[in-house]
Amino acid sequence: MAPEFKVTPWEVSGDVDYDMLVERFGTSRIDSTLKERLAKYGEPHTLLKRNVFYSHRDLPWLLDLYDKGQSFYLYTGRGPSGDTHLGHLMPWIFAKHLQDMFGATIYFQLTDDEKFLFRQDLELEDTRRMAFENALDFMALGFDPEKTRIILDTECIKTLYPLALKVSKKVTFSTARAVFGFDNSTNIGSIFYTSIQAAPCFLESEREGRTVPCLIPCGIDQDPHFRVARDVAPGLGYPKPALIHNKMFPGLEGGDKMSSSNPDATIYTTDNAKTVKRKVGKAFTGGCVSAEEQREKGGNPEICAVFKYNYFLFEEDDAKLDDLVSRCRSGDILCGECKGLLTAKINGFLEGHQRRREEAKAIMHEITLDGFEW
Ligand code: TRP
């Protein structure tokens, strides 16, 4: 029987089978040949080596053009519905790596309109305020301010709207319903919204008046939007955006996706050291009920949230990660100690991040698209 799971831009639930998702969505796996090719441009990122970024659309096409001297730009985004958590940072960390490796310009879209439309509990003032906070987290990762532009939908609508209109004219309600699962009770803003998320895919081509390829690093849950964007691109005379997809960042409770619906299983970038300690302390692990039993039988890293955190973001050294696995399996290290190690790593990271986040405030006005005021 097929495992039950759901992945849409607005909901991720169940036990996600990422291989099956590639089939369902019709994307391509990043295989060893493509990984080797990517390694030619610079030291491969851990997230690529460990298959967290594992799927793509048209990446070889983009690299072929790049090899011929045609540069591309990056585009990613965030729906500002709350504070930034570690899961949000993951694709951005990878995007920053891509910016460094390819010297690419990046557009970061903050969809205050989207979250207003899709969330009954949020007003435009809320999503706008959160957008600013989220943008600080983005810039804290060290993007080059000269090559980074922030799009806040409600502010940049003048630039986005002509593109969104062109897209929307080519997307029928029947397509939107099939791709996103809309029905007769869906508000009409939500139905139009995908054309706003598509707009930045074509922004550079439009501005330059020539073909400028676009690469989108994003969670695979966002793929449906770009499937639509890719379908309409040729008819509008734009290149199809290429994509590189990551798996969802796990929650501390053992679920497949870190989600703000469970704040205790979610580490926010603004959490203090004590809060992190408490949350990691409650994490779901692969340990046994008693220490005695675990010394004897060992733990199971495969199902352990603490291990996943090390794997995804907090232990980049492969040898150290392997060592952790074998010490866990043999019962040599118990969950308490392992949680302590992870807590220290997360707090070390957050300390620097929170400082850079404060520093970013000084440059926020320089990096807005078309110079909008926050
Ligand atoms: N819809 C995305 C979200 O809810 C935000 C977003 C807009 C985005 N444009 C993007 C994400 C491009 C990835 C890539 O988070």
Side-chain angles (χ1 to χ4, degrees):
M1 205 185 80
E4 301 269 336
F5 65 91
K6 192 171 176 187
V7 176
T8 75
W10 301 286
E11 186 191 351
V12 176
S13 63
D15 200 359
V16 182
D17 180 333
Y18 285 103
D19 289 319
M20 194 179 279
L21 207 53
V22 164
E23 311 263 306
R24 263 195 210 172
F25 282 3
T27 66
S28 307
R29 269 193 155 273
I30 300 180
D31 58 15
S32 48
T33 317
L34 186 50
K35 275 195 191 174
E36 275 163 35
R37 179 165 184 191
L38 283 167
K40 286 196 212 131
Y41 303 94
E43 180 58 31
H45 198 277
T46 324
L47 290 167
L48 185 73
K49 285 196 282 187
R50 295 190 183 159
N51 302 316
V52 175
F53 275 83
Y54 84 112
S55 155
H56 75 96
R57 290 184 188 268
D58 277 347
L59 195 51
W61 164 81
L62 184 103
L63 295 173
D64 285 346
L65 287 175
Y66 182 81
D67 289 347
K68 288 186 203 138
Q70 162 82 76
S71 59
F72 60 86
Y73 70 105
L74 297 160
Y75 159 41
T76 192
R78 154 91 177 131
S81 55
D83 291 338
T84 310
H85 61 57
L86 295 177
H88 300 129
L89 294 187
M90 190 177 71
W92 305 347
I93 288 170
F94 193 71
K96 154 79 166 75
H97 158 81
L98 292 176
Q99 175 172 75
D100 292 347
M101 198 149 82
F102 294 101
T105 298
I106 187 163
Y107 287 98
F108 184 61
Q109 182 181 37
L110 287 155
T111 57
D112 56 341
D113 51 351
E114 175 191 14
K115 292 298 160 179
F116 169 70
L117 288 166
F118 283 86
R119 289 270 302 258
Q120 296 315 314
D121 54 330
L122 296 176
E123 295 301 327
L124 271 175
E125 295 70 33
D126 302 324
T127 58
R128 190 192 169 96
R129 183 173 32 80
M130 288 161 181
F132 182 76
E133 295 297 320
N134 294 164
L136 292 177
D137 287 300
F138 185 78
M139 287 314 288
L141 298 174
F143 287 93
D144 178 352
E146 301 282 326
K147 290 187 167 163
T148 304
R149 285 298 169 265
I150 307 226
I151 303 170
L152 180 60
D153 285 350
T154 54
E155 285 289 343
C156 303
I157 193 61
K158 197 168 174 218
T159 301
L160 299 177
Y161 198 48
L163 285 165
L165 276 178
K166 290 183 194 178
V167 171
S168 68
K169 198 174 181 178
K170 301 238 179 249
V171 183
T172 63
F173 175 54
S174 143
T175 297
R177 187 176 46 195
V179 174
F180 300 107
F182 296 149
D183 60 31
N184 282 349
S185 71
T186 307
N187 68 57
I188 58 174
S190 296
I191 296 161
F192 176 76
Y193 169 73
T194 194
S195 28
I196 297 279
Q197 186 157 329
C201 301
F202 312 125
L203 192 55
E204 284 275 289
S205 294
E206 183 63 29
R207 299 191 132 188
E208 300 278 319
R210 62 182 168 93
T211 296
V212 188
C214 172
L215 173 62
I216 308 172
C218 65
I220 190 146
D221 60 325
Q222 295 297 316
D223 184 74
H225 284 297
F226 301 119
R227 216 147 59 211
V228 173
R230 285 168 53 85
D231 281 349
V232 304
L236 297 175
Y238 300 122
K240 293 183 180 191
L243 289 119
I244 181 161
H245 306 107
N246 63 271
K247 299 174 184 168
M248 299 298 116
F249 189 76
L252 278 172
E253 84 287 30
D256 259 323
K257 184 179 180 239
M258 181 170 263
S259 153
S260 301
S261 55
N262 187 355
D264 260 5
T266 304
I267 293 174
Y268 297 99
T269 57
T270 47
D271 279 349
N272 64 30
K274 224 176 109 193
T275 306
V276 171
K277 183 166 185 245
R278 179 176 58 78
K279 290 180 179 177
V280 174
K282 287 201 286 188
F284 176 82
T285 71
C288 301
V289 229
S290 73
E292 201 179 26
E293 191 186 345
Q294 195 167 336
R295 289 253 179 252
E296 200 182 303
K297 296 185 181 156
N300 179 7
E302 260 154 59
I303 56 164
C304 174
V306 175
F307 172 71
K308 286 182 190 162
Y309 276 58
N310 280 302
Y311 183 88
F312 275 73
L313 281 183
F314 291 99
E315 187 47 78
E316 292 199 66
D317 184 328
D318 289 336
K320 283 190 185 159
L321 191 74
D322 288 348
D323 183 56
L324 200 62
V325 168
S326 55
R327 288 181 63 208
C328 170
R329 289 224 165 93
S330 68
D332 181 31
I333 184 168
L334 300 186
C335 297
E337 189 185 338
C338 209
K339 283 174 174 173
L341 293 172
L342 179 66
T343 302
K345 285 184 214 164
I346 295 178
N347 281 334
F349 167 76
L350 285 183
E351 202 184 295
H353 183 82
Q354 287 165 7
R355 185 174 23 85
R356 290 189 299 271
R357 197 178 182 282
E358 281 306 306
E359 289 164 6
K361 287 180 180 166
I363 55 158
M364 294 308 278
H365 66 282
E366 294 166 19
I367 52 164
T368 57
L369 181 73
D370 300 333
F372 78 82
E373 301 274 338
W374 283 102

